[in-house]
Amino acid sequence: MLFNGLPQGSMPKLERPEPLRERVYGALLELISSGSLRPGRHLVESELAGHLGVSRQPVREALQRLNTEGWVDLRPAHGAFVHEPTGDETDQLFVVRALLETEAARLAAVGPSGEGLERLDELCATGEAAVAAGDVDAVVMANAIFHACVVELAGNAVLAELAAHVERRVRRYYTPIAHQAWVEHRELIAAIAARDDARAQKVMRAHTENARTRFPPRQRG
């Protein structure tokens, strides 16, 4: 029996050689951040353990860790639930994202690019094709990888770590399928290629600030 409507194969059995608690944590984090487990979803330890092919103990430990990190809410006498962010939380998240990625765009424009620009162009083409096909999952993935590539071109490891954490939290609530977003991606590539850091900053700032209103939240529940 599927776990309350999750797609067949979306929750794979886990291999045992690596530390089990880390693998269970990683699997649940991916399911939450990707939107497979939606905000407000009740997380039943026994069901999760059965579908991951593990005992309840590593699942319990993972849920406690996810609670500490803000991905899960543990409610006394009721159990664990995927965290439902407030409007203020989401707005604050997008503010931080704008700050980090605007600086990343500036650094990418003044640093070495070369193969990185080719990669951005390929990702943009992939995203545009996915938009045309109406493939939401492919668009979300291409968008996330595109932004990660810009951050990588910035060459700042600390910024990359912080941006990856913020982007992962943003990704589970929004579906960037708008064509205009990919037009802005093209504008960003052009600014980086021209080594125009001021223009790159301006484009990325507008792009990230528009994201909150352009991309409606995923349906909760």
Side-chain angles (χ1 to χ4, degrees):
M1 184 177 68
L2 295 181
F3 173 49
N4 292 337
L6 278 181
Q8 183 73 38
S10 65
M11 187 178 289
K13 293 291 190 294
L14 301 180
E15 300 290 337
R16 290 199 175 258
E18 297 182 26
L20 197 54
R21 69 180 64 186
E22 291 299 322
R23 292 186 61 84
V24 171
Y25 164 81
L28 292 180
L29 177 58
E30 177 59 26
L31 287 167
I32 293 172
S33 64
S34 68
S36 294
L37 293 174
R38 293 176 176 273
R41 181 67 172 271
H42 186 200
L43 303 173
V44 181
E45 287 183 9
S46 59
E47 292 181 352
L48 292 172
H51 285 278
L52 291 173
V54 299
S55 68
R56 294 176 62 174
Q57 183 59 32
V59 171
R60 184 177 300 114
E61 292 174 355
L63 292 176
Q64 290 171 345
R65 179 175 172 184
L66 291 166
N67 173 67
T68 300
E69 296 175 354
W71 294 97
V72 167
D73 295 327
L74 296 180
R75 304 173 188 170
H78 291 88
F81 297 81
V82 178
H83 178 66
E84 292 187 84
T86 64
D88 285 344
E89 283 181 77
T90 307
D91 287 335
Q92 291 167 14
L93 199 59
F94 271 90
V95 168
V96 174
R97 181 192 186 214
L99 292 171
L100 291 172
E101 297 203 9
T102 297
E103 177 62 10
R106 184 189 71 81
L107 292 173
V110 298
S113 47
E115 294 181 1
L117 280 172
E118 294 181 9
R119 177 64 172 148
L120 288 177
D121 189 68
E122 292 171 358
L123 288 168
C124 204
T126 298
E128 290 163 344
V131 170
D135 188 338
V136 174
D137 290 339
V139 175
V140 171
M141 182 59 66
N143 183 75
I145 298 174
F146 180 91
H147 281 264
C149 188
V150 173
V151 172
E152 182 180 348
L153 289 177
N156 185 310
V158 175
L159 189 154
E161 180 181 356
L162 294 173
H165 176 70
V166 171
E167 180 64 24
R168 179 167 236 171
R169 292 185 66 178
V170 168
R171 180 163 55 105
R172 62 176 173 163
Y173 303 118
Y174 291 84
T175 302
I177 197 168
H179 173 70
Q180 181 60 30
W182 295 89
V183 172
E184 293 166 2
H185 285 167
R186 288 290 182 190
E187 293 174 354
L188 180 63
I189 293 172
I192 294 174
R195 305 185 71 77
D196 187 340
D197 58 325
R199 176 63 180 164
Q201 277 187 302
K202 182 177 180 180
V203 171
M204 181 62 90
R205 182 178 297 111
H207 177 64
T208 52
E209 289 178 353
N210 288 340
R212 177 67 176 95
T213 55
R214 177 187 296 134
F215 304 149
R218 295 178 186 269
Q219 183 179 353
R220 297 178 185 176

